[in-house]
Amino acid sequence: MQKNRNNPQYDDCYFSHAHGLEESRHVFIRGNDLPERVRNGEIPHVGETGFGTGLNLLSLIDAVQKESKGHRTLKFSSIEKYPLTAVRIEELLSPFRKELALNLEAYLKQWDNISLRLERGWNRMEWEFDGIDLEFSLYHGDALEWAALNFGEEKAVGAWFLDGHSPDKNPEIWSLTVMRGIYGRTDAGGTLASFTASGRVKTALREAGFFIKRSKGFGRKRHMIRGFKS
């Protein structure tokens, strides 16, 4: 069963099999101080390396809905080399169906409409959720190719979810080239968070220019990392 929940391209799990949603909230939502930032009126452009199932996006939407009032616009940009079908995503996210409820239903419907028509490179979409207009940009392709692109509209990212599988399984997405691409696209004061606390990842992020610190991990994982661009 666990093997069925892995990404076959990297032989690595997408998230904690039993507690994936809470893991996403701990590492990426609270790791970027997003509940407090949203309560204070800031809804940053969020960037992500490794879209996967879209669980982090759903976790973000849920946090914005809970922490702010009125109609909001949310900008989210992500990278994915091997997009999943809506059927596969529904299978993987089924343990969280009750908690994600209408957001998951809306997401699966909208993803099903575009997943088989994704083009290599940038794909721009406008999706609707309860009280949220989502401006969603997905780069379908290799992270190294993405890092070499001109920044364009993507340069003003205020928070990053670094979620590209284990550095041992997917070293390219944690390379110095990609970390420099992330740094160049980040606003001054922008933050990042990642499940991994690998020494080589911390070194690459610091060399790119980020301030990095270790923080309490989720579950049995002792540590994660957080960072910001000064």
Side-chain angles (χ1 to χ4, degrees), residues 178-225:
V178 174
M179 299 303 103
R180 284 175 171 160
I182 290 169
Y183 184 86
R185 291 164 168 82
T186 307
D187 264 348
T191 63
L192 64 85
S194 178
F195 181 82
T196 184
S198 162
R200 70 174 183 262
V201 170
K202 289 186 288 186
T203 297
L205 285 165
R206 286 172 176 146
E207 189 169 339
F210 288 103
F211 174 83
I212 300 297
K213 64 178 181 178
R214 200 168 61 177
S215 185
K216 185 179 183 302
F218 176 81
R220 296 182 180 179
K221 187 78 162 51
R222 290 181 60 191
H223 301 117
M224 56 174 274
I225 55 174

Side-chain angles (χ1 to χ4, degrees), residues 103-134:
N103 286 336
L104 176 57
E105 183 179 331
Y107 162 61
L108 289 171
K109 181 177 180 181
Q110 293 173 115
W111 181 257
D112 191 41
N113 287 334
I114 62 96
S115 61
L116 298 179
R117 296 184 286 107
L118 290 173
E119 298 179 354
R120 297 288 293 186
W122 281 114
N123 296 263
R124 315 283 186 184
M125 295 150 265
E126 294 183 358
W127 290 353
E128 292 184 0
F129 293 85
D130 184 22
I132 290 179
D133 292 329
L134 175 68

